[in-house]
């Protein structure tokens, strides 16, 4: 049996990352819709927090997907 030094991601990880990316996109969209529909300052702060959190999660997932595609994880 020949072993390779390259790390390969199992399809389950790639599938998980892509599903997480889709869920994050939905969270981002829902937070924007919520922000557009409220006037209460506390709710505005809440939706801004959710948008920022979804944006950060999206960036991390994109990086992980890119690294899994190139085999650099």
């Amino acid at each position: 049996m020949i072993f390779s030094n390259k790390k390969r991601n199992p399809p389950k990880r790639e599938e998980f990352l892509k599903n997480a990316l889709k869920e994050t996109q939905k969270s981002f969209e829902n937070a924007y819709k919520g922000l557009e529909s409220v006037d209460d300052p506390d709710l505005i702060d809440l939706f801004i927090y959710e948008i920022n959190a979804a944006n950060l999660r999206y960036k991390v997932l994109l990086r992980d997907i890119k690294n899994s595609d190139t085999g650099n994880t």
Side-chain angles (χ1 to χ4, degrees):
M1 179 180 262
I2 299 174
F3 293 98
S4 173
N5 288 337
K6 281 188 174 182
K7 293 182 181 179
R8 293 190 57 94
N9 292 315
K12 289 180 183 179
R13 176 167 167 75
E14 291 174 10
E15 184 177 329
F16 169 79
L17 290 172
K18 289 178 183 178
N19 287 335
L21 186 65
K22 289 178 186 177
E23 289 176 17
T24 300
Q25 288 171 326
K26 288 178 187 176
S27 296
F28 193 74
E29 291 169 5
N30 289 337
Y32 260 110
K33 288 177 186 176
L35 181 62
E36 292 173 351
S37 67
V38 297
D39 293 329
D40 184 288
D42 289 333
L43 291 176
I44 291 171
D45 287 345
L46 170 78
F47 285 117
I48 290 172
Y49 175 82
E50 288 183 4
I51 290 168
N52 288 335
N55 190 36
L56 180 59
R57 190 167 48 247
Y58 190 78
K59 287 179 184 180
V60 169
L61 289 168
L62 282 178
R63 183 193 64 213
D64 289 351
I65 288 171
K66 180 180 177 183
N67 287 338
S68 70
D69 288 343
T70 60
N72 291 331
T73 54

